[in-house]
Amino acid sequence: MTTNRRDFLTAAVTAVGAVVTPDLSHAHDHDHEHQAVPSDPTLRVKALESLLVEKGLVDRSALDALIDTYEHKVGPRNGARVVARAWADPAYRQRLLTNADAAIAELGYGGLQGEHMVVVENTPKVHNLVVCTLCSCYPWPVLGLPPVWYKSAPFRSRAVIDPRGVLREFGLELADDVELRVWDSTAELRYLVLPERPAGSEKLSEEELAALVTRDAMIGVGIAARRQGDRG
Amino acid sequence: MNGVHDMGGMQDMGPVQAEKNEPVFHEPWQGRAYAVTRAMGAWRKWNLDASRFQREQIAPVDYFRLSYYERWVVALVELMLRNGMVTPAELESGKPDPGSAKQTPPLTAEKVPILTSKGVPARRDVAVTARFHAGERVRARNMNPVGHTRLVRYARGKNGTIHMDHGVFLFPDTNALFLGEKPQHVYSVRFAARELWGEQAAPQDSVYIDMWDDYLEPA
């Protein structure tokens, strides 16, 4: 692949012009020019929303409520509480691994794009990684909406054929004696990784444990770790 | 359909670019696009599989050129046009056609917490016989439907082992085309990484893929 084509792909994927005619020779110039003016999707989506509101097809306050839900109420802190409870309570951990829907509902979470949950557990000898190679399937009730990289071509394409290489890009080097299990979310099951509990966290409260659980650890591209200076 | 959305195993897509402290939506229009798509789905003129199929039909060059929520908008507009919910003239002018009746949106702010907390389950409580059981060797069928399918290309013709039975779910291949739910068992199938990718894969690694009964045959 030539440098030019790579540059074009990078510019095109990050550019925000939906209906701009692609011009390969000037892709970069366009990208810069567009930053000074309202981007095309902004105007287009605004016009679409106005039309649908005026036709009585959508309720603007419902749109606000949906956005507020995923910007402020539903996100990876939910999943972190699930993980912390599983670390703190062996009986809960068992319920979580055998009937994830019910166990997650115990903490008050569940619903859209998490109707059918599966929790997979990391151990010293097994590491789990979640992907959706076909689109962007992700467990919303416990992790919120997926980050851009999770939905991107590089992750979707390589997580199954070169998962160890992908993990390396996230700073995670798996030992040769660790078994890597990749879960491709091709159906309506949604996967959450139960990371290993960090060493030295025995004295932490459940709330303190939850603070160690990152979104990346629950996807499997990271691990839960005590930060420098944490009490323990 | 053997489209570019079916990305598993493709190469030369570049490094994964993770962003620190990424916002849920980078720009307000993305949130609006997300919410409008959800709200229009509440009319139940189409289903989740149909909207996925619509996104898959975006021309390959556009699929890569467009950002994620731009693809959502393109697919939503197409679905609304096909279902007669908006007209090309309305999209052009941004105004309802003269004389068109104002409707009542099915999704109100009060109903949003119900939608998000209850979800839209795809599991079906019907008795369907499972053709396969945990531990059995199976082969993913070699088939190339031109419609919607969730049978990933990289697994077709490959041998795996049933890891577990998830129960009965509606079938996306027919559901996306409004040809019925055709409820059937979905299994988690374990494929050895070397079965999928050959010697370059680590011998102990594997990929677990969820597969409907119709995607499988005895190995």
Side-chain angles (χ1 to χ4, degrees):
Chain A
M1 183 180 275
T2 66
T3 309
N4 278 344
R5 182 156 168 248
R6 172 74 78 206
D7 282 350
F8 168 68
L9 284 176
T10 308
V13 169
T14 54
V16 287
V19 290
V20 179
T21 308
D23 179 346
L24 278 75
S25 58
H26 299 105
H28 261 116
D29 296 344
H30 283 178
D31 198 20
H32 292 305
E33 280 166 21
H34 282 203
Q35 288 173 1
V37 296
S39 59
D40 189 68
T42 298
L43 298 175
R44 196 161 171 238
V45 172
K46 197 169 201 164
L48 184 64
E49 179 182 329
S50 298
L51 173 65
L52 299 179
V53 168
E54 216 172 319
K55 284 177 70 71
L57 290 170
V58 302
D59 176 342
R60 194 160 262 152
S61 62
L63 306 182
D64 296 338
L66 278 164
I67 293 166
D68 180 56
T69 300
Y70 291 102
E71 277 196 327
H72 301 118
K73 294 174 184 162
V74 177
R77 289 301 93 208
N78 292 2
R81 289 189 196 100
V82 171
V83 168
R85 174 67 53 87
W87 284 345
D89 178 349
Y92 181 80
R93 172 185 156 274
Q94 202 51 49
R95 292 200 295 281
L96 186 65
L97 294 173
T98 50
N99 186 350
D101 292 341
I104 290 168
E106 285 180 42
L107 273 65
Y109 312 131
L112 208 55
Q113 284 300 305
E115 294 92 345
H116 315 291
M117 290 290 305
V118 176
V119 174
V120 290
E121 184 181 36
N122 284 352
T123 71
K125 291 295 171 205
V126 175
H127 185 87
N128 295 281
L129 171 66
V130 180
V131 64
C132 171
T133 61
L134 291 172
C135 49
S136 52
C137 296
Y138 192 75
W140 295 1
V142 283
L143 294 186
L145 300 183
V148 168
W149 62 259
Y150 182 88
K151 304 179 284 191
S152 72
F155 183 70
R156 283 163 58 185
S157 59
R158 286 174 50 220
V160 286
I161 189 172
D162 180 26
R164 286 172 184 260
V166 168
L167 293 183
R168 217 170 284 128
E169 283 169 25
F170 279 90
L172 201 57
E173 184 80 45
L174 281 196
D176 285 344
D177 64 344
V178 173
E179 177 189 342
L180 176 54
R181 297 176 184 170
V182 180
W183 301 84
D184 192 351
S185 319
T186 51
E188 295 307 327
L189 290 305
R190 296 290 170 268
Y191 290 87
L192 182 77
V193 175
L194 174 56
E196 280 188 86
R197 182 173 176 159
S201 64
E202 292 77 13
K203 291 178 185 161
L204 296 184
S205 69
E206 209 173 298
E207 201 173 316
E208 289 169 321
L209 287 173
L212 305 183
V213 184
T214 62
R215 176 199 67 198
D216 286 2
M218 294 182 280
I219 301 171
V221 295
I223 56 169
R226 293 182 65 219
R227 290 159 304 203
Q228 295 251 316
D230 277 350
R231 298 183 296 113
Chain B
M1 189 177 67
N2 291 346
V4 292
H5 67 281
D6 185 359
M7 292 183 180
M10 291 173 87
Q11 295 172 315
D12 205 23
M13 293 285 189
V16 179
Q17 292 179 314
E19 178 185 343
K20 283 219 183 308
N21 303 314
E22 182 176 335
V24 175
F25 299 111
H26 285 79
E27 295 183 60
W29 72 264
Q30 297 173 338
R32 306 314 286 182
Y34 168 81
V36 164
T37 302
R38 282 281 137 208
M40 287 305 296
W43 282 94
R44 292 171 177 262
K45 298 275 188 188
W46 53 81
N47 56 54
L48 178 61
D49 294 306
S51 56
R52 284 193 185 125
F53 186 38
Q54 196 65 54
R55 286 172 209 141
E56 290 165 7
Q57 290 174 78
I58 294 172
V61 66
D62 293 324
Y63 191 97
F64 282 109
R65 184 167 53 88
L66 300 177
S67 65
Y68 181 75
Y69 288 113
E70 286 175 310
R71 294 201 291 265
W72 278 42
V73 172
V74 168
L76 173 65
V77 166
E78 190 60 34
L79 286 167
M80 291 190 301
L81 284 169
R82 287 225 325 259
N83 285 277
M85 303 176 87
V86 297
T87 66
E90 289 175 331
L91 290 171
E92 181 74 24
S93 69
K95 292 280 169 200
D97 285 339
S100 63
K102 180 151 181 163
Q103 309 196 57
T104 305
L107 185 69
T108 58
E110 297 71 41
K111 288 182 189 159
V112 165
I114 301 167
L115 170 69
T116 57
S117 65
K118 296 265 183 263
V120 186
R123 185 170 271 147
R124 291 295 177 263
D125 188 19
V126 290
V128 178
T129 305
R131 284 200 302 148
F132 305 101
H133 302 90
E136 271 180 52
R137 293 287 290 165
V138 290
R139 184 182 306 112
R141 290 175 60 198
N142 180 15
M143 57 184 218
N144 294 273
V146 292
H148 178 67
T149 186
R150 300 289 289 182
L151 175 55
V152 289
R153 203 157 41 196
Y154 71 84
R156 295 176 195 170
K158 306 289 185 180
N159 291 317
T161 307
I162 302 283
H163 165 61
M164 68 175 290
D165 184 343
H166 289 303
V168 176
F169 287 77
L170 61 82
F171 186 51
D173 301 40
T174 49
N175 194 44
L177 303 173
F178 308 101
L179 296 174
E181 292 196 340
K182 206 182 178 190
Q184 54 189 274
H185 283 261
V186 172
Y187 312 90
S188 169
V189 185
R190 179 188 182 277
F191 293 87
R194 285 200 164 172
E195 166 72 6
L196 298 172
W197 315 114
E199 296 300 303
Q200 72 192 74
Q204 72 275 34
D205 292 354
S206 53
V207 182
Y208 289 73
I209 308 175
D210 289 328
M211 292 193 167
W212 279 262
D213 208 297
D214 277 7
Y215 295 167
L216 297 169
E217 56 195 15

